[in-house]
Amino acid sequence: MTAPATSPTVKCLVWDLDDTLWDGVVLEQDDPDPFPEALETLAVLDKRGVLHAAASRSDPAVIARHLTERGLDDWFCAVQVGWDDKSGAVRHIAETLNIGLDTIAFIDNDPAERAEVAAALPSVRCYPAEDVARLPALSDFQPEHITAEAAGRRKLYRTEWRRREAQEEFGTDRQAFLTSLDLVMEVRPAAPDDLDRAGELTVRTHQLNSTGLTYNARELRGLSTSPDHQVRVAQLRDRFGDYGVIGLAVTELRHDDAVLRLMLMSCRVASRGVGGVLLTELIREAREGGRRPVAHFVPTDVNRNMLVTLRFAGYEQVASEGPLMVLAVDPARATPQRQQHIQVLSRA
């Protein structure tokens, strides 16, 4: 196995198929059986919210048929089958699922294939097929939070795969595609049932994350009942289905300021423009409460897009405290208009 010294929890395990998931080669045998220990690992990791994808050298139609006939196709959120390098397939899977390569693991029976992936993608953890039974016991495959939504994550990502297929029909006309989705975002105070998922987001979300602060469910429960704080969650749905809770905002109410101490959005919806929509709602809510919208931002290697989103919403830097940037919206500036392709439902 190869991995960086400080790797985050694995979000997706990419499987080779022949002689790794099943006992044989589909092109050489009629109906190779899946390994029982592989099926067990598929099920255990799926319950923890770890996604599964496949990267195999074979004929795509033959593999698709065998996955379906064996009842295995529903396990996989993305399947890349062909004759190109496995590293290219793994990279495409990461891009399709919109997750970092450092959250990908790869399992293959062929040491040459593992070496090729490790050389091309050094942040991807590579495991030999004989380790399949022990993967669930490794800390890399044990998320800190396992919520009801985590157990349904596979369904969410399979739905996202269908969305991407629909997007291809629109070619380069991104706005037409977004409009076709019929997006609806609900912004509401966090309810008790939201808190585990909200805490999970603070640990898992790094790109669209303003400060990197983490909260567990108990801490969020305390903040949500505090008269000096507001905890808001954002839930998104479209014509394909429900994305679930995809955003979180923790605001501290200080005298005349509403200070956004943490705002984040799931990477899954980064391309939908929802970050700016949530900020618009937070700005509106702060102003209606007679407070100036203020936001904290701590730059990291991966969250520059969050700063861009804040600036587009009207936040400008007014102070700094070490690495912490303090931004505020000019009281004379108009509240940004809502994105036309997203209907917003706001509950106080």
Side-chain angles (χ1 to χ4, degrees):
M1 190 276 290
T2 59
T6 56
S7 300
T9 303
V10 170
K11 292 183 179 180
C12 178
L13 176 61
V14 179
W15 294 72
D16 169 50
L17 298 177
D18 292 330
D19 290 324
T20 298
L21 178 61
W22 47 61
D23 187 10
V25 179
V26 172
L27 288 178
E28 297 176 0
Q29 300 182 28
D30 291 333
D31 191 22
D33 294 324
F35 291 110
E37 56 269 31
L39 294 178
E40 178 66 18
T41 292
L42 278 169
V44 170
L45 296 185
D46 178 72
K47 290 179 181 178
R48 297 177 186 175
V50 178
L51 305 173
H52 296 293
S56 180
R57 288 183 185 274
S58 190
D59 180 275
V62 172
I63 291 295
R65 183 175 64 250
H66 190 68
L67 285 170
T68 301
E69 290 175 350
R70 279 297 187 167
L72 298 170
D73 56 318
D74 193 49
W75 287 111
F76 296 97
C77 300
V79 177
Q80 287 291 302
V81 179
W83 302 104
D84 294 329
D85 290 341
K86 294 274 184 75
S87 62
V90 172
R91 185 187 300 276
H92 182 74
I93 287 167
E95 292 172 352
T96 298
L97 299 180
N98 199 21
I99 58 179
L101 286 166
D102 61 346
T103 66
I104 296 280
F106 174 66
I107 185 166
D108 197 303
N109 67 297
D110 189 334
E113 299 283 19
R114 298 196 304 272
E116 188 273 325
V117 170
L121 308 173
S123 61
V124 172
R125 281 155 276 189
C126 298
Y127 298 88
E130 57 263 30
D131 284 354
V132 66
R134 76 180 188 94
L135 293 187
L138 300 180
S139 60
D140 285 349
F141 294 88
Q142 298 183 30
E144 183 176 352
H145 302 279
I146 302 176
T147 65
E149 186 160 325
R153 186 167 289 123
R154 168 167 48 106
K155 181 179 179 181
L156 293 174
Y157 275 85
R158 283 181 61 84
T159 301
E160 182 61 23
W161 181 268
R162 294 197 297 273
R163 291 186 181 104
R164 287 181 176 268
E165 290 179 325
Q167 184 173 2
E168 292 178 1
E169 298 176 6
F170 287 87
T172 58
D173 194 343
R174 178 174 178 272
Q175 189 58 47
F177 166 67
L178 291 176
T179 301
S180 77
L181 289 176
D182 298 328
L183 287 158
V184 178
M185 188 171 78
E186 180 183 14
V187 181
R188 65 175 188 273
D193 290 345
D194 297 320
L195 298 180
D196 283 336
R197 168 59 176 163
E200 179 188 43
L201 278 173
T202 70
V203 176
R204 293 175 59 93
T205 306
H206 306 289
Q207 296 179 29
L208 279 179
N209 187 315
S210 60
T211 57
L213 294 174
T214 60
Y215 297 98
N216 58 34
R218 178 183 57 79
E219 292 168 328
L220 289 171
R221 185 174 296 106
L223 291 172
S224 64
T225 58
S226 165
D228 299 324
H229 292 83
Q230 294 173 338
V231 180
R232 300 289 185 259
V233 295
Q235 187 162 350
L236 191 69
R237 67 177 185 270
D238 66 14
R239 64 185 175 90
F240 289 97
D242 197 333
Y243 295 80
V245 173
I246 45 79
L248 171 70
V250 178
T251 301
E252 182 180 358
L253 305 178
R254 295 183 186 172
H255 306 295
D256 296 330
D257 290 341
V259 183
L260 186 58
R261 301 199 65 222
L262 172 67
M263 195 283 247
L264 57 81
M265 275 284 170
S266 170
C267 298
R268 292 189 295 117
V269 296
S271 64
R272 303 292 187 258
V274 291
V277 173
L278 177 56
L279 284 172
T280 297
E281 288 303 301
L282 297 173
I283 291 170
R284 180 190 59 77
E285 189 172 333
R287 286 176 163 174
E288 288 181 356
R291 294 184 172 88
R292 180 182 65 153
V294 176
H296 287 174
F297 179 78
V298 177
T300 69
D301 292 337
V302 297
N303 73 344
R304 180 170 176 77
N305 283 344
M306 184 73 245
L307 179 59
V308 172
T309 302
L310 285 162
R311 292 198 183 282
F312 269 114
Y315 288 90
E316 298 292 342
Q317 185 171 353
V318 295
S320 61
E321 303 170 12
L324 174 67
M325 297 169 58
V326 181
L327 304 98
V329 178
D330 187 336
R333 180 165 180 164
T335 300
Q337 292 185 346
R338 291 175 173 173
Q339 296 276 359
Q340 294 300 309
H341 65 275
I342 302 178
Q343 179 186 354
V344 179
L345 305 177
S346 182
R347 288 197 289 156

